[in-house]
């Protein structure tokens, strides 16, 4: 087993970290912060990181993506922006790359890859969250189109997106193949969007609801074949659980460095607080979790990179990193004392931002269910 990391990956990590620091220079309080940040990301080539060069992307492999995005997560201190980019990349662009027709790829990918279009992925509904295929949205065949009806909620990027992958039932079969995926475009007749929905964290990841009221979607906008919704959804989920949490690993590494520096410099009882074992034990745990997270993430990405199945590994990676990120955010706050509780420190907001990570891309409870089923101790 070779644990030596390719130098080119480390270079990418450095380059993306430096770019993350550039993003931090933008004024987050400015009304057009998101647009400015998105423009910088587009110009940097981030929006099409994994899209092949023939569709104007950077053509990165999963390993290159993971190291790059880890660097970005270390550099950029805006979890919301990172999450918006992650969704665009893994949940919208990659399913189109894998399942799209040549015409769909030519039509949508170059604009998504250059950041001209923002992508979203719409599965969740008011009455179907974890039970995502228990959805009510339906699409009925009508001539050269499908007529789409239903509601989607908690959709990241929704208020600003141009392209949405939307899942709806196209038959009444009880099997998973009763769901199909559609590429819905902003402005289609019968497609309505809510304003930005306020969340407790991830402020710069816009979120909204979608309403489809007899929305006519041309058949040429179906992604995959009728009944391929499960395959398209699985592609998004696999990318999310395999690669998305690279930014979280980057954030954890930054938290560790910031906390170590603080524990060395902050003096109480005439000595650095890091000298107190109850403080240094917390930091040792942060370091241990970073190391485990790194091993899990690199292994999962390596499996994907090499075309090997990683269903179980990606679930474990998602579960571990999301929970470790919450712990790390809390320990950082505790060790910084009251100064970490101040709004301007940005430390408190990391706690709130991190809390979402055990909910999106499949909750922790669902990941534990997947692992248990894999072990044969739980039925589907
Ligand atoms: C920040 C954020 C961004 C999101 N972005 C998107 C997006 O872009 N697109 C999209 O489609 N969705 C998105 N979601 C929605 C997300 O996918 C759902 O929140 C998630 O699937 C859980 O569904 P739910 O919130 O309805 O919770 P529920 O499914 O109602 O679950 C409630 C609780 O019950 C537990 N539970 C449910 N079923 C089981 C079970 N079988 N076994 C054990 N425990 C169970 C859950 O783990 C949870 O703790 C986003 C969510 C968040 C927080």
């Amino acid at each position: 087993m070779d644990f030596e990391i390719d130098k080119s990956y480390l270079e990418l990590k450095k380059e993306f970290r430096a770019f993350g620091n550039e993003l931090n220079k933008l004024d987050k309080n400015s009304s057009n912060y998101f647009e400015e940040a998105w423009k910088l990301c587009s110009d940097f080539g981030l929006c099409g990181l994994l899209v092949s060069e023939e569709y104007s992307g950077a053509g990165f492999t999963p390993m290159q993506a993971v190291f790059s995005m880890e660097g970005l997560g270390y550099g950029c201190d805006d979890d919301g922006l990172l999450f918006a980019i992650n969704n665009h990349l893994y949940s919208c662009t990659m399913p189109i790359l894998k399942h799209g027709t040549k015409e769909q790829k030519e039509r949508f990918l170059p604009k998504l890859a250059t950041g001209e279009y923002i992508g979203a992925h719409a599965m969740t509904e008011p009455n179907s969250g974890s039970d995502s295929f228990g959805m009510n949205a339906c699409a009925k065949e009508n001539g050269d189109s499908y007529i789409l009806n239903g509601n989607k909620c908690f959709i990241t990027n929704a208020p600003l997106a141009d392209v949405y992958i939307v899942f709806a039932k196209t038959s009444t079969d009880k099997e998973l193949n009763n769901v199909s995926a559609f590429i819905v475009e902003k402005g289609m007749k019968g497609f309505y969007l809510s304003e930005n929905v306020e969340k407790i964290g991830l402020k710069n990841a816009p979120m909204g609801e979608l309403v489809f009221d007899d929305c006519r979607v041309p058949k040429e906008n179906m992604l995959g074949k009728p009944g391929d919704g499960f395959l398209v959804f699985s592609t998004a989920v696999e990318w999310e659980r395999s690669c998305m949490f690279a930014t979280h690993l980057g954030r954890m590494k930054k938290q560790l460095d910031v906390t170590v520096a603080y524990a060395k410099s902050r003096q109480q009882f005439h000595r650095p607080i890091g000298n107190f074992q109850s403080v240094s034990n917390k930091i040792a745990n942060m370091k241990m979790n970073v190391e485990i997270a790194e091993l899990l993430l690199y292994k999962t990405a390596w499996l994907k990179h090499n075309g090997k199945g990683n269903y179980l590994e990606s679930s474990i990676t998602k579960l571990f990193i999301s929970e470790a990120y919450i712990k790390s955010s809390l320990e950082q706050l505790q060790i910084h004392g009251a100064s970490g509780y101040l709004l301007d420190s940005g430390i408190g907001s990391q706690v709130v931002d991190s809390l979402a990570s055990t909910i999106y891309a499949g909750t922790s409870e669902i990941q534990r269910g997947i692992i248990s089923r894999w072990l044969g101790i739980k039925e589907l």
Side-chain angles (χ1 to χ4, degrees):
M1 194 171 291
D2 184 4
F3 282 100
E4 193 157 358
I5 295 171
D6 193 307
K7 277 203 183 75
S8 68
Y9 295 156
L10 298 176
E11 282 304 314
L12 278 175
K13 202 193 288 196
K14 223 161 87 188
E15 191 190 333
F16 277 67
R17 176 172 158 175
F19 174 65
N21 286 326
E22 287 302 308
L23 287 171
N24 292 342
K25 293 180 186 158
L26 295 176
D27 175 8
K28 289 197 189 64
N29 295 319
S30 145
S31 59
N32 57 352
Y33 164 75
F34 187 88
E35 286 75 10
E36 281 183 42
W38 193 267
K39 169 89 176 53
L40 279 187
C41 292
S42 307
D43 293 347
F44 188 69
L46 197 55
C47 298
L49 209 63
L50 288 135
V51 174
S52 42
E53 286 167 24
E54 68 175 305
Y55 299 114
S56 312
F60 275 25
T61 63
M63 287 301 279
Q64 288 175 314
V66 155
F67 278 88
S68 305
M69 296 304 277
E70 181 194 319
L72 186 74
Y74 189 101
C76 173
D77 62 15
D78 185 344
D79 283 276
L81 178 66
L82 293 169
F83 186 60
I85 293 166
N86 276 330
N87 266 270
H88 167 88
L89 279 179
Y90 302 119
S91 318
C92 180
T93 305
M94 296 318 287
I96 296 180
L97 184 66
K98 176 150 182 196
H99 300 278
T101 60
K102 190 167 180 298
E103 193 270 336
Q104 286 170 341
K105 290 183 196 177
E106 283 169 354
R107 211 165 126 213
F108 297 110
L109 286 179
K111 287 183 175 164
L112 286 164
T114 54
E116 183 183 338
Y117 277 1
I118 297 178
H121 172 105
M123 181 61 152
T124 307
E125 298 184 4
N127 291 320
S128 59
S130 301
D131 181 15
S132 46
F133 282 81
M135 67 180 68
N136 285 321
C138 63
K140 289 211 167 68
E141 208 174 341
N142 184 294
D144 59 359
S145 306
Y146 279 86
I147 307 295
L148 182 55
N149 278 290
N151 291 22
K152 299 286 175 183
C153 57
F154 311 129
I155 308 306
T156 303
N157 293 342
L160 299 177
D162 302 276
V163 169
Y164 306 75
I165 298 183
V166 178
F167 297 85
K169 285 192 172 157
T170 43
S171 87
T172 49
D173 293 354
K174 289 267 181 291
E175 302 303 320
L176 284 178
N177 65 6
N178 62 5
V179 170
S180 301
F182 298 90
I183 305 174
V184 175
E185 297 165 71
K186 184 171 75 179
M188 278 183 164
K189 204 158 168 263
F191 171 28
Y192 306 97
L193 277 167
S194 73
E195 293 291 308
N196 185 37
V197 173
E198 288 293 338
K199 309 183 292 312
I200 58 169
L202 298 175
K203 294 286 181 197
N204 291 313
M207 179 186 268
E209 294 167 18
L210 320 181
V211 176
F212 300 99
D213 183 7
D214 284 340
C215 174
R216 185 175 284 276
V217 184
K219 278 185 177 165
E220 68 209 32
N221 279 37
M222 179 178 271
L223 189 54
K225 298 189 299 300
D228 274 358
F230 180 73
L231 292 179
V232 174
F233 184 66
S234 300
T235 296
V237 165
E238 193 195 316
W239 276 106
E240 288 168 0
R241 294 178 192 163
S242 301
C243 297
M244 188 191 266
F245 289 80
T247 48
H248 303 59
L249 173 63
R251 303 291 293 134
M252 283 163 60
K253 288 189 176 181
K254 175 78 157 283
Q255 290 177 337
L256 177 64
D257 288 351
V258 167
T259 307
V260 166
Y262 188 77
K264 284 180 179 168
S265 66
R266 171 73 174 164
Q267 300 262 337
Q268 288 295 284
F269 302 97
H270 314 292
R271 66 182 78 164
I273 57 168
N275 274 15
F276 303 116
Q277 208 171 29
S278 49
V279 172
S280 61
N281 278 350
K282 286 186 177 51
I283 297 176
N285 285 339
M286 286 170 80
K287 173 66 177 163
M288 179 179 70
N289 282 342
V290 159
E291 290 294 315
I292 300 170
E294 188 180 272
L295 285 172
L296 286 171
L297 182 79
Y298 295 171
K299 178 184 172 190
T300 301
W302 181 88
L303 288 168
K304 187 158 185 57
H305 185 97
N306 289 289
K308 297 176 194 287
N310 69 0
Y311 184 65
L312 174 66
E313 291 81 0
S314 59
S315 214
I316 294 174
T317 299
K318 194 271 160 181
L319 174 62
F320 183 82
I321 299 185
S322 59
E323 294 192 346
Y325 186 34
I326 294 177
K327 283 185 206 142
S328 171
S329 302
L330 283 168
E331 297 297 35
Q332 178 181 230
L333 175 61
Q334 187 66 21
I335 291 169
H336 279 77
S339 60
Y341 198 70
L342 295 185
L343 197 58
D344 281 350
S345 72
I347 286 175
S349 64
Q350 287 171 44
V351 173
V352 187
D353 290 341
S354 70
L355 292 175
S357 62
T358 54
I359 301 174
Y360 56 67
T363 65
S364 282
E365 291 76 13
I366 293 299
Q367 305 312 319
R368 288 196 166 81
I370 291 171
I371 297 163
S372 305
R373 280 202 299 279
W374 191 270
L375 294 169
I377 52 174
K378 186 173 179 289
E379 284 179 20
L380 192 66

